[in-house]
mmCIF file with all atom_site columns, all heavy atoms in Angstrom:
data_model
loop_
_atom_site.group_PDB
_atom_site.id
_atom_site.type_symbol
_atom_site.label_atom_id
_atom_site.label_alt_id
_atom_site.label_comp_id
_atom_site.label_asym_id
_atom_site.label_entity_id
_atom_site.label_seq_id
_atom_site.pdbx_PDB_ins_code
_atom_site.Cartn_x
_atom_site.Cartn_y
_atom_site.Cartn_z
_atom_site.occupancy
_atom_site.B_iso_or_equiv
_atom_site.pdbx_formal_charge
_atom_site.auth_seq_id
_atom_site.auth_comp_id
_atom_site.auth_asym_id
_atom_site.auth_atom_id
_atom_site.pdbx_PDB_model_num
ATOM 1  N N   . LEU A 1 370 ? 20.797 21.327 -22.529 1.00 0.00 ? 1466 LEU A N   1
ATOM 2  C CA  . LEU A 1 370 ? 19.718 22.290 -22.724 1.00 0.00 ? 1466 LEU A CA  1
ATOM 3  C C   . LEU A 1 370 ? 19.482 22.569 -24.301 1.00 0.00 ? 1466 LEU A C   1
ATOM 4  O O   . LEU A 1 370 ? 20.485 22.506 -25.006 1.00 0.00 ? 1466 LEU A O   1
ATOM 5  C CB  . LEU A 1 370 ? 19.768 23.613 -22.088 1.00 0.00 ? 1466 LEU A CB  1
ATOM 6  C CG  . LEU A 1 370 ? 20.141 23.633 -20.499 1.00 0.00 ? 1466 LEU A CG  1
ATOM 7  C CD1 . LEU A 1 370 ? 20.395 25.079 -20.016 1.00 0.00 ? 1466 LEU A CD1 1
ATOM 8  C CD2 . LEU A 1 370 ? 19.058 22.901 -19.815 1.00 0.00 ? 1466 LEU A CD2 1
ATOM 9  N N   . ASP A 1 371 ? 18.223 22.710 -24.704 1.00 0.00 ? 1467 ASP A N   1
ATOM 10 C CA  . ASP A 1 371 ? 18.132 23.124 -26.085 1.00 0.00 ? 1467 ASP A CA  1
ATOM 11 C C   . ASP A 1 371 ? 18.473 24.726 -26.145 1.00 0.00 ? 1467 ASP A C   1
ATOM 12 O O   . ASP A 1 371 ? 18.738 25.301 -25.140 1.00 0.00 ? 1467 ASP A O   1
ATOM 13 C CB  . ASP A 1 371 ? 16.622 22.829 -26.657 1.00 0.00 ? 1467 ASP A CB  1
ATOM 14 C CG  . ASP A 1 371 ? 15.668 23.664 -25.931 1.00 0.00 ? 1467 ASP A CG  1
ATOM 15 O OD1 . ASP A 1 371 ? 15.746 24.940 -25.646 1.00 0.00 ? 1467 ASP A OD1 1
ATOM 16 O OD2 . ASP A 1 371 ? 14.431 23.068 -25.792 1.00 0.00 ? 1467 ASP A OD2 1
ATOM 17 N N   . ARG A 1 372 ? 18.473 25.235 -27.328 1.00 0.00 ? 1468 ARG A N   1
ATOM 18 C CA  . ARG A 1 372 ? 18.951 26.555 -27.487 1.00 0.00 ? 1468 ARG A CA  1
ATOM 19 C C   . ARG A 1 372 ? 18.167 27.557 -26.669 1.00 0.00 ? 1468 ARG A C   1
ATOM 20 O O   . ARG A 1 372 ? 18.734 28.368 -26.087 1.00 0.00 ? 1468 ARG A O   1
ATOM 21 C CB  . ARG A 1 372 ? 18.969 26.859 -29.067 1.00 0.00 ? 1468 ARG A CB  1
ATOM 22 C CG  . ARG A 1 372 ? 19.563 28.252 -29.293 1.00 0.00 ? 1468 ARG A CG  1
ATOM 23 C CD  . ARG A 1 372 ? 19.708 28.391 -30.839 1.00 0.00 ? 1468 ARG A CD  1
ATOM 24 N NE  . ARG A 1 372 ? 18.380 28.340 -31.477 1.00 0.00 ? 1468 ARG A NE  1
ATOM 25 C CZ  . ARG A 1 372 ? 18.199 28.487 -32.816 1.00 0.00 ? 1468 ARG A CZ  1
ATOM 26 N NH1 . ARG A 1 372 ? 19.255 28.468 -33.552 1.00 0.00 ? 1468 ARG A NH1 1
ATOM 27 N NH2 . ARG A 1 372 ? 17.025 28.458 -33.308 1.00 0.00 ? 1468 ARG A NH2 1
ATOM 28 N N   . ASP A 1 373 ? 16.853 27.538 -26.784 1.00 0.00 ? 1469 ASP A N   1
ATOM 29 C CA  . ASP A 1 373 ? 16.057 28.535 -26.015 1.00 0.00 ? 1469 ASP A CA  1
ATOM 30 C C   . ASP A 1 373 ? 16.262 28.391 -24.531 1.00 0.00 ? 1469 ASP A C   1
ATOM 31 O O   . ASP A 1 373 ? 16.354 29.362 -23.816 1.00 0.00 ? 1469 ASP A O   1
ATOM 32 C CB  . ASP A 1 373 ? 14.601 28.349 -26.437 1.00 0.00 ? 1469 ASP A CB  1
ATOM 33 C CG  . ASP A 1 373 ? 14.289 28.729 -27.829 1.00 0.00 ? 1469 ASP A CG  1
ATOM 34 O OD1 . ASP A 1 373 ? 15.098 29.549 -28.407 1.00 0.00 ? 1469 ASP A OD1 1
ATOM 35 O OD2 . ASP A 1 373 ? 13.261 28.363 -28.416 1.00 0.00 ? 1469 ASP A OD2 1
ATOM 36 N N   . GLN A 1 374 ? 16.262 27.158 -24.007 1.00 0.00 ? 1470 GLN A N   1
ATOM 37 C CA  . GLN A 1 374 ? 16.512 26.889 -22.646 1.00 0.00 ? 1470 GLN A CA  1
ATOM 38 C C   . GLN A 1 374 ? 17.887 27.496 -22.201 1.00 0.00 ? 1470 GLN A C   1
ATOM 39 O O   . GLN A 1 374 ? 17.939 28.161 -21.254 1.00 0.00 ? 1470 GLN A O   1
ATOM 40 C CB  . GLN A 1 374 ? 16.431 25.436 -22.276 1.00 0.00 ? 1470 GLN A CB  1
ATOM 41 C CG  . GLN A 1 374 ? 14.951 24.821 -22.353 1.00 0.00 ? 1470 GLN A CG  1
ATOM 42 C CD  . GLN A 1 374 ? 15.005 23.261 -22.286 1.00 0.00 ? 1470 GLN A CD  1
ATOM 43 O OE1 . GLN A 1 374 ? 16.073 22.701 -22.410 1.00 0.00 ? 1470 GLN A OE1 1
ATOM 44 N NE2 . GLN A 1 374 ? 13.894 22.693 -21.894 1.00 0.00 ? 1470 GLN A NE2 1
ATOM 45 N N   . PHE A 1 375 ? 18.812 27.259 -22.917 1.00 0.00 ? 1471 PHE A N   1
ATOM 46 C CA  . PHE A 1 375 ? 20.248 27.672 -22.676 1.00 0.00 ? 1471 PHE A CA  1
ATOM 47 C C   . PHE A 1 375 ? 20.332 29.296 -22.646 1.00 0.00 ? 1471 PHE A C   1
ATOM 48 O O   . PHE A 1 375 ? 20.696 29.726 -21.658 1.00 0.00 ? 1471 PHE A O   1
ATOM 49 C CB  . PHE A 1 375 ? 21.287 27.215 -23.610 1.00 0.00 ? 1471 PHE A CB  1
ATOM 50 C CG  . PHE A 1 375 ? 22.611 27.902 -23.370 1.00 0.00 ? 1471 PHE A CG  1
ATOM 51 C CD1 . PHE A 1 375 ? 23.474 27.295 -22.401 1.00 0.00 ? 1471 PHE A CD1 1
ATOM 52 C CD2 . PHE A 1 375 ? 22.974 28.817 -24.141 1.00 0.00 ? 1471 PHE A CD2 1
ATOM 53 C CE1 . PHE A 1 375 ? 24.766 27.912 -22.242 1.00 0.00 ? 1471 PHE A CE1 1
ATOM 54 C CE2 . PHE A 1 375 ? 24.264 29.505 -24.007 1.00 0.00 ? 1471 PHE A CE2 1
ATOM 55 C CZ  . PHE A 1 375 ? 25.125 29.004 -23.011 1.00 0.00 ? 1471 PHE A CZ  1
ATOM 56 N N   . PRO A 1 758 ? 10.140 21.485 -27.678 1.00 0.00 ? 1854 PRO A N   1
ATOM 57 C CA  . PRO A 1 758 ? 11.188 21.959 -28.599 1.00 0.00 ? 1854 PRO A CA  1
ATOM 58 C C   . PRO A 1 758 ? 12.183 20.806 -28.895 1.00 0.00 ? 1854 PRO A C   1
ATOM 59 O O   . PRO A 1 758 ? 12.368 19.993 -28.142 1.00 0.00 ? 1854 PRO A O   1
ATOM 60 C CB  . PRO A 1 758 ? 11.829 23.091 -27.806 1.00 0.00 ? 1854 PRO A CB  1
ATOM 61 C CG  . PRO A 1 758 ? 10.862 23.495 -26.773 1.00 0.00 ? 1854 PRO A CG  1
ATOM 62 C CD  . PRO A 1 758 ? 10.121 22.340 -26.400 1.00 0.00 ? 1854 PRO A CD  1
ATOM 63 N N   . LEU A 1 759 ? 12.718 20.908 -30.040 1.00 0.00 ? 1855 LEU A N   1
ATOM 64 C CA  . LEU A 1 759 ? 13.735 19.866 -30.437 1.00 0.00 ? 1855 LEU A CA  1
ATOM 65 C C   . LEU A 1 759 ? 14.992 20.092 -29.882 1.00 0.00 ? 1855 LEU A C   1
ATOM 66 O O   . LEU A 1 759 ? 15.570 21.301 -29.961 1.00 0.00 ? 1855 LEU A O   1
ATOM 67 C CB  . LEU A 1 759 ? 13.786 19.828 -31.960 1.00 0.00 ? 1855 LEU A CB  1
ATOM 68 C CG  . LEU A 1 759 ? 14.653 18.731 -32.575 1.00 0.00 ? 1855 LEU A CG  1
ATOM 69 C CD1 . LEU A 1 759 ? 13.993 17.398 -32.428 1.00 0.00 ? 1855 LEU A CD1 1
ATOM 70 C CD2 . LEU A 1 759 ? 15.042 18.949 -34.038 1.00 0.00 ? 1855 LEU A CD2 1
#
Side-chain angles (χ1 to χ4, degrees):
L1466 307 179
D1467 66 37
R1468 185 170 62 185
D1469 289 340
Q1470 289 172 339
F1471 174 82
L1855 186 70

